[in-house]
Amino acid sequence: MFSTSISTAQLAVHGDASHSVLKKGDLELPPIKKILSDLPEVSSSLPPHTEIIEFEEQQEMFHELRDIIEKAQEVDEAVNSFDLKELHASLEEADASAKRGRRDAETLQSVSATLQKLWNCNSEYLVQAAEIIADGSRDPSWRAPFGQSGVLNFFLDLVALKGEVDTSLLLQSLRVIGNSCADTDENREIVVKGNYTLAIIRYFLDPDLIFVAIPVIYNICMDYKPAHAQMAANRTAYILLKLIKEGGIEDNEALLNFSYDLIELASEQAEGIENSPNGTILLLMELAIDETLDFAHFSSLATSLAAYLEKEKFQNVCVSNGMVEGVLDVLRHSFSIVVDPSLSEDVKALAQLRLKINQALAEVSASSLFAQYYPLDSPLSQTLKSWVVATEDQLQICACVMLGNLARSDEVCQVMVRDLKIHEELIAVLKGDARGAVLHSSLGFLKNLAIAGDNRAILGEAGIIPAISRLWAYESVPQVQFSAASIARQVIISSMGNISRLLAPLSQDLDSPAHQRTYLSLLLSLFEKTDSTPIKTEIGRTVASICRTVSPKARDRDEEATSLLDRLYTLHEGVSLPVGAMITQTQWPVVRSEGWFALALMATNKLGCAAVVDCLHKTEVTELLKTTLSGGTPNQDNAEETDKSQEIKDRDNAFVLVQGLLKNESGTLPVGYRDMLEDLAKVKALQLKAITDV
């Protein structure tokens, strides 16, 4: 609430009002006066001073007004001084009710009329009357009657006047408005309906009134969403940010607290963000890295900045005006913000802020403009590269995500690996003691890099497979397990060298049991332990990829391929089970087709055939085999449809699978299985004959 100790200095205007437009690059920072001039005027119904009233009559009106307000105060004081033990309970209740009943809209109708008359005659008593009402408005019981009687409207119209009004009168008027709106939504509704928040915001430029105008807006907005939206639409955030930046309120801690809260409130309103000048984000950045900033103020600024950068408009402004470095500075500065470790809420809040900033940077770097303005040889890219091995988790995550977003073409990915050798730092992170979130972002970046041409071979030579193999047992974060399994599949695609590394022994000691186990053995162990269908599927696709690359070469009697195929089947019991999981899953028909093709390849090799028989024993693949060969479509729980050409491919591969089993099973099939397979082959042969006959 606002007391009477407020100064009533003469009107002066902040220097901003006459400043020319400031710029950073091509980004304009328009002066506050220009911002306000672009907003609509707020109308006032107060007439000009045209009435002449004798001084004695003015004095009498003032005394009547004062008596109404002050006598109510005296009643309260008298009631509070009674010795309740000396009063009969019923008499006390009746007396108190009668006296408090004077605080109603009907009683205040005469006050409202008196204020109008004092205004009409430009009475010198108007300031005193306003001060009395302002003092009374500190009492919550006056607030609703002030709104209902028109008293509040009078003072709202007064602050909305375009002409010159005595500063002292404006000050008391603002006090009435601020106190009347405290926790009183019906009065706040009156303010918002007439867009009077804008009239009040204009006084932010008056150094003699700003210290009361800001708290008034705060009182109107607190816990009242319509006021939030209007305040934001009136560009309050930009105005306050510019005032703070230029030192307009830097010496008043209370005003700063109100201002930062209002800035954050405005950032929650979509309309307010869209209407904000482009330079708003520059002000947010510059203020957020102030070394003297405390946690609460930093929190408001960082939260607001993240909210602005959710919008494509400000993402583009940020990138095209070279301000992404500024956002990086905010994230980096967050690590110099001191919070009391014993205050767990603050510790958590600071961690959440870093996440918000990181998410904003991720969105910004995903912009199509990002690569255009920040190529690989830019200082920003160099900064991010250094952050990959930073000691702060969020800096590492930021670097991986942003550089990963930059790695959108084979050319860029190859430069990152071949010239910048960024993969070496990422692999070092995987080998270290990084937390799950850092591992996940590093793996995501590596997966992008592994897509391009020669990068798979370079990653393999750098030790990517041993590095990711330890993460296949990272049970605390399933996303890390999935990403690590996914990279294994990615790096072996069409790469004999990396397949060889995946099938290499875990130990070179011939006497060690680990010599008979490979990195693929570890991946198959994960398959046995996990309940995650995506992880199981990735492991199956890895086995399928090995078969796709090695089997054709082995058929052509390539010695290396033959050796690898032998290792695949002799050292890995259950190697076909992940492929079976590809076929039995119901989410992705394309993956199921990939599984049929892989089993068909396996069945063309005698050792592989034994693995396929094992798959038929232990899974539901046999029933699906019958369904597929008979022309049916397995059930699926995904919206993805299986097209006819895919169904035909599945039947053809299933038929090749059956033929391979009949040719290479060497008596390993259970009794009755061979007969069943022969029957299926005959059915398929008849189908093919029918097609030929047609």
Side-chain angles (χ1 to χ4, degrees), residues 5-52:
S5 60
I6 299 176
S7 167
T8 56
Q10 293 300 308
L11 176 66
V13 179
H14 280 298
D16 175 278
S18 59
H19 281 180
S20 60
V21 173
L22 300 177
K23 292 188 177 183
K24 180 178 177 68
D26 292 329
L27 188 68
E28 292 187 354
L29 292 174
I32 298 172
K33 190 173 183 180
K34 174 66 168 62
I35 292 295
L36 291 173
S37 68
D38 291 339
L39 295 170
E41 293 292 339
V42 182
S43 61
S44 172
S45 61
L46 287 181
H49 307 297
T50 56
E51 191 171 350
I52 298 175

Side-chain angles (χ1 to χ4, degrees), residues 270-302:
E271 183 182 357
I273 291 179
E274 292 296 336
N275 291 335
S276 290
N278 292 346
T280 306
I281 56 173
L282 175 60
L283 293 172
L284 286 166
M285 291 177 205
E286 291 183 344
L287 289 172
I289 59 173
D290 184 349
E291 296 293 336
T292 65
L293 211 61
D294 63 18
F295 170 64
H297 294 169
F298 175 79
S299 176
S300 294
L301 292 168

Side-chain angles (χ1 to χ4, degrees), residues 638-654:
N638 191 295
E640 186 180 350
E641 295 291 339
T642 307
D643 61 32
K644 290 298 180 183
S645 63
Q646 193 169 306
E647 290 180 13
I648 293 171
K649 288 179 182 178
D650 288 355
R651 285 199 297 272
D652 289 345
N653 285 327

